[in-house]
Amino acid sequence: MSHEPFDDDGVVNTSHEPAIADIIEARLSRRAILKGVATAGAFGLFGGTVSGARSVTAGKDYAALAFSEIGRFSDDTHHVAPGYNVQVLIRWGDPIRRGGPQFRPGAQTAEEQEQQFGMNNDYIAYMPLPRGSGSSTRGLLCANHEYTIPRLMWPRASGSGATMTRERVEIEMSAHGLSVLEIARTAGGWRLAGGSPYNRRISARGAVMGVAGPAAGHTRMRTNADPSGVRIIGTFNNCAGGVTPWGTVLSAEENIQFYFSGKGAPGPEEAARRRYGIAGRGFYEAWARHFERFDLGKEPNEPNRFGWIVEVDPYDPKSVPVKRTALGRFKHECATTALSHDGRVAVYSGDDERMEYVYKFVTRGRYDPKNPDANRNLLDEGTLYVAKFLEQGRMRWRPLVFGEGPLTAANGFTSQADVVIEARRAADLLGATPMDRPEDVEAHPVTGRVYVVMTSNARRKPGEVNVANPRAPNRYGHIIEIVPPLVGGIPDHTATECDWGFFLLGGDPANPEHGARYRNPVTANGWLCAPDNVAFDPRGRIWIATDGQDYVAGFADSVYAAETSGPRHGATRCFFAAPRGAEICGPEFTPDGKTLFLAIQHPGDEKGSTYDKPSTRWPDFREGVPPRPSVVAITRADGGEIGN
Ligand code: FEO
Ligand code: CA
Ligand code: CA
C-alpha cells in the first residue's frame, strides 16, 4: 500500500546511524588495504564491486527480451504490450465458491465477504496442482488482501467516525487476510474452480492462527482472550510474501500500526510500541471502538501479536496458519526464500518504512525434499540477521542473537523473545543501515543475486545519506543487487559478508536533477520510479512493478522488464500500465513462463475519488459498482512465453 494516507506515516526510527563521513573513512581505510582499487565518488563502482572478486554484471543467464514497449498512460483502464491479452481473473467481492454470495456493492455483509475474494490484493503466489507437479495449467492462486478503503466501499465513509459501525468494521476484517483458490487454464482462458475443496478465505475476523518460535507463549504475547500467548485471531495488512521450497506460502504482516488506538500505560511496553509507530489513534480507529483487543488501554500486548510472517499450507484446506516469530517482528514487506548451497534456507524481508532495515533469516536445519515432516518447522530455529552496508561493494549481515553484542539485559533484552518482538530496536543497536523504504527483496533463481528494492524516501535529508542510500531526498527509489559468495558454484545465502552494487537508481536519466542511473540506456518510456515488487521469469529476467509513479511522475504505475545480464542488462522497458489510482503487486509467473499474474491494487484510489464518484470504475465500468481490486492473467495471443 502506498497511497493516502498510507504513504506518509512518518519516520519512527530516531536511532543514530554513522554519518556519510564515518562511512567514507571506513571505506578509505579499506581502500588502503585493497591498494589501487579505484573508488571515485559514490557511484564510482556503480555495477561493480570493491573486492574485485567478481563483477555483479557477470553471468550466463542472458536471454533477450522481445516485446514492443508501451507508452505512458494515465487513464481509467489498463494497457499491455501489443500481442498480449489481459484477462480479469477474480475481483474483490467475487464468490470463491460456486453458488456463493454475489457482490452487492455498498450492501455486503461480513458473512458474505467471508465467502468472497477480499479487497486490495497484494502478493500472489501460483502453486501448481497436484503439489510438486510443476503444472502451468492447474494450480492454487494464493492472494494477500492487504487493507480496506472505506471511502471506496461505502458512500461518505472514512476509516473512523460514526459511519464506521461494528458491522462495517467486521466487513473490513473479513476483506483482509488471504484467499486460496484453485484455478485452471482452459481454451477460453483462466477459470476459477468454484467447486474445489482447496478454496478458502483466511481473514482478520475469525481465522485462528498458531504461534511458533522464540516468542510463542511469552508473557508479552499474552492477552485476556489468550492467556497462553499461542493462539491469535486473524492476520491483517498482509502485504507481499513468498513461497517455501516445501510448498507453503509466507504472508507478511506489514502496516500493523493502523489498527491499534487508545492509550496504554506508560512504561517499557509503550516505548517498544512507539518504535513501531503504534501510539494514539490508528487510521482504523473504529476497530478499537468496537473490539477491545485493538484498544491499547485494554490489551497492551495485542500489537505484539502482529507484524510477523505467517506460514500457510494452501494444499491442506484445514491447516492452521502459524506465525513464525523467529523471523522477527517489524513491518514485513515480504518473505522470499532462497535455498542455499548446503540445504539451509534463507528468508529475505524488508521493513517497509523510511529509515528502516533489510533482514534475512537463515534456518539452522536443512531442507529435505524427501522428508516433508522434517521441513514443517524449519522456520522456528535459525538466525535472524540485519543488513549493514559497509562501503561501496561490501556489506555484512549482523546477527540478532540474544546475549551477543549489545543484545543483553543491559539494553532491556532478557531472551530471544524480546529480541524478535523488538527486532527494530535490536537492529538499531547493531548499527544496521537505514534504508529508503525497503519493499521486495528477492533472490535471482539462477545467479542467487539478491535484489533489494527501495521504493523511495522523500524525507531523507542531505546529512542522512549513506553508502546504500545516496540520494536525499530519494523521490524515485532504487534497487540494490547483493551478490552472495559461491560455494562450488552455488550461491551461499548463509554468508554474512557479501558484495553489492546498484542495479538501478530510478528516475529519468535525461533529467540531471533526478540523479538516475541505469546500467544500460533506457528509452523515454522505459525509465521507472517507485519500484516495489519484483519477480523473475523462467529465463531469469526481472519484472518490476511500481507503486507511486502517479504521484511522483504523473503517469500510471506500471510493470517493467529488464535482462539481468548480457549487453542490455538493467535497461528497463515498460510492459503494462495500471488503471489510474492503482498500484501493481505480486508479479507471478507460471512455471512455463506463459502466464503472468498481476494484482491490481486500489484502482481509483486518488484524492477526491469516492464510492459515489470514483476516478475509475475499473474493471466493471458499470454505474453503481465501485472500482474493484482484481487479479489479472496476462498471456501471449499466440500462446508463447511472456517477454520473448
Ligand atoms: Fe504494502 Fe510496502 O507495501
Ligand atoms: Ca508500496
Ligand atoms: Ca508493497
Side-chain angles (χ1 to χ4, degrees):
M1 71 163 68
S2 174
H3 291 188
E4 294 179 289
F6 305 106
D7 65 335
D8 199 10
D9 50 333
V11 177
V12 296
N13 185 4
T14 53
S15 73
H16 293 285
E17 161 69 4
I20 186 76
D22 300 330
I23 290 165
I24 289 169
E25 193 186 333
R27 196 167 80 205
L28 288 174
S29 44
R30 181 175 171 84
R31 192 193 296 183
I33 294 163
L34 289 168
K35 271 191 261 169
V37 177
T39 55
F43 301 107
L45 288 155
F46 187 86
T49 65
V50 164
S51 68
R54 63 186 171 279
S55 164
V56 292
T57 64
K60 300 187 189 74
D61 56 325
Y62 169 63
L65 282 164
F67 65 83
S68 301
E69 183 168 71
I70 61 170
R72 303 299 197 187
F73 292 95
S74 182
D75 60 24
D76 63 357
T77 194
H78 58 261
H79 302 271
V80 72
Y84 289 84
N85 295 327
V86 180
Q87 178 202 351
V88 177
L89 176 57
I90 188 156
R91 303 162 294 186
W92 164 47
D94 280 340
I96 63 162
R97 288 187 196 85
R98 191 175 299 133
Q102 294 295 320
F103 183 50
R104 297 187 301 131
Q108 278 178 300
T109 65
E111 285 308 321
E112 288 170 357
Q113 178 64 80
E114 282 288 331
Q115 302 169 65
Q116 297 168 336
F117 197 60
M119 204 185 191
N120 281 335
N121 34 216
D122 195 299
Y123 178 72
I124 39 180
Y126 172 86
M127 317 280 281
L129 275 175
R131 186 177 203 148
S133 68
S135 171
S136 290
T137 55
R138 182 177 168 235
L140 298 175
L141 183 80
C142 307
N144 281 352
H145 302 292
E146 189 179 20
Y147 69 112
T148 47
I149 308 174
R151 69 185 159 80
L152 293 176
M153 298 171 79
W154 302 285
R156 292 171 294 284
S158 68
S160 59
T163 63
M164 292 311 294
T165 60
R166 185 184 171 98
E167 172 67 5
R168 284 188 175 178
V169 170
E170 290 201 65
I171 295 166
E172 287 194 291
M173 289 175 166
S174 296
H176 280 71
L178 292 88
S179 293
V180 178
L181 306 169
E182 182 178 337
I183 56 171
R185 188 171 180 178
T186 67
W190 284 91
R191 296 276 178 267
L192 174 71
S196 171
Y198 294 109
N199 295 4
R200 72 191 282 203
R201 283 295 321 283
I202 297 166
S203 80
R205 180 164 163 254
V208 173
M209 315 255 142
V211 187
H218 191 272
T219 49
R220 297 179 69 183
M221 297 289 282
R222 297 177 192 166
T223 64
N224 287 316
D226 175 26
S228 64
V230 294
R231 185 178 182 277
I232 297 173
I233 302 298
T235 180
F236 47 75
N237 218 272
N238 305 75
C239 190
V243 171
T244 65
W246 50 96
T248 59
V249 172
L250 303 178
S251 181
E253 295 179 338
E254 193 190 22
N255 284 296
I256 57 167
Q257 77 281 9
F258 294 131
Y259 301 83
F260 300 95
S261 296
K263 196 161 171 53
E269 201 62 60
E270 189 200 29
R273 282 197 298 270
R274 195 166 292 134
R275 182 65 186 82
Y276 287 76
I278 299 168
R281 187 182 158 113
F283 174 78
Y284 296 105
E285 165 276 332
W287 290 37
R289 195 148 38 79
H290 298 296
F291 294 88
E292 285 189 352
R293 70 189 181 109
F294 298 103
D295 184 334
L296 298 170
K298 293 181 174 131
E299 289 290 2
N301 284 346
E302 189 74 6
N304 291 341
R305 292 145 63 86
F306 295 88
W308 301 107
I309 295 299
V310 184
E311 185 172 14
V312 177
D313 181 356
Y315 292 105
D316 177 1
K318 294 204 161 42
S319 61
V320 175
V322 179
K323 300 204 179 189
R324 299 289 182 189
T325 66
L327 279 66
R329 174 173 167 267
F330 44 92
K331 296 185 191 177
H332 282 278
E333 169 70 19
C334 64
T336 55
T337 64
L339 192 56
S340 199
H341 66 298
D342 62 356
R344 286 185 285 167
V345 177
V347 185
Y348 291 96
S349 192
D351 183 349
D352 180 8
E353 188 164 343
R354 294 171 182 83
M355 305 298 187
E356 296 298 342
Y357 310 131
V358 176
Y359 298 80
K360 79 169 174 183
F361 174 81
V362 177
T363 59
R364 196 178 74 170
R366 289 171 166 75
Y367 165 61
D368 182 352
K370 297 196 188 75
N371 183 5
D373 281 350
N375 305 320
R376 192 156 292 144
N377 297 314
L378 262 187
L379 299 181
D380 290 340
E381 285 185 72
T383 306
L384 180 65
Y385 298 89
V386 69
K388 184 173 178 64
F389 291 84
L390 304 170
E391 59 195 46
Q392 287 296 326
R394 291 298 290 168
M395 60 84 61
R396 186 172 291 148
W397 293 101
R398 303 204 65 189
L400 278 71
V401 175
F402 170 68
E404 287 187 14
L407 307 184
T408 61
N411 285 310
F413 297 98
T414 59
S415 67
Q416 186 65 17
D418 287 331
V419 172
V420 293
I421 290 170
E422 293 185 69
R424 281 185 165 184
R425 192 167 68 84
D428 295 343
L429 291 165
L430 292 170
T433 303
M435 311 297 287
D436 288 338
R437 290 190 56 203
E439 298 253 23
D440 222 346
V441 185
E442 193 137 354
H444 189 287
V446 178
T447 65
R449 296 178 209 143
V450 178
Y451 293 77
V452 186
V453 180
M454 269 58 66
T455 197
S456 68
N457 182 355
R459 291 198 189 184
R460 190 179 288 275
K461 299 183 184 77
E464 295 172 333
V465 297
N466 60 47
V467 70
N469 300 270
R471 290 186 291 184
N474 179 3
R475 291 200 176 89
Y476 308 101
H478 63 286
I479 301 179
I480 281 172
E481 191 181 50
I482 294 176
V483 187
L486 301 177
V487 177
I490 301 172
D492 177 5
H493 288 282
T494 73
T496 54
E497 300 255 348
C498 297
D499 296 344
W500 69 276
F502 290 107
F503 184 67
L504 62 81
L505 296 180
D508 180 0
N511 185 339
E513 284 176 18
H514 288 201
R517 295 289 299 264
Y518 297 81
R519 288 184 177 173
N520 277 292
V522 292
T523 69
N525 292 328
W527 60 268
L528 61 80
C529 50
D532 190 333
N533 295 119
V534 300
F536 298 94
D537 68 25
R539 293 178 186 265
R541 298 167 300 206
I542 191 168
W543 295 71
I544 305 164
T546 70
D547 171 17
Q549 281 192 154
D550 45 355
Y551 278 78
V552 179
F555 47 80
D557 276 309
S558 300
V559 174
Y560 299 82
E563 292 143 26
T564 53
S565 63
R568 288 193 310 191
H569 86 281
T572 50
R573 59 166 96 177
C574 193
F575 176 75
F576 178 92
R580 61 187 304 158
E583 73 172 274
I584 304 171
C585 304
E588 173 80 334
F589 287 91
T590 48
D592 63 4
K594 292 182 175 175
T595 300
L596 169 60
F597 297 104
L598 300 176
I600 308 301
Q601 196 191 58
H602 60 73
D605 183 23
E606 297 176 279
K607 211 175 182 91
S609 179
T610 62
Y611 181 90
D612 289 320
K613 285 202 168 105
S615 62
T616 176
R617 292 190 187 274
W618 187 90
D620 295 23
F621 297 108
R622 275 172 44 214
E623 201 57 35
V625 180
R628 299 168 76 181
S630 304
V631 173
V632 300
I634 298 176
T635 50
R636 236 171 76 178
D638 64 4
E641 261 179 77
I642 307 278
N644 287 359

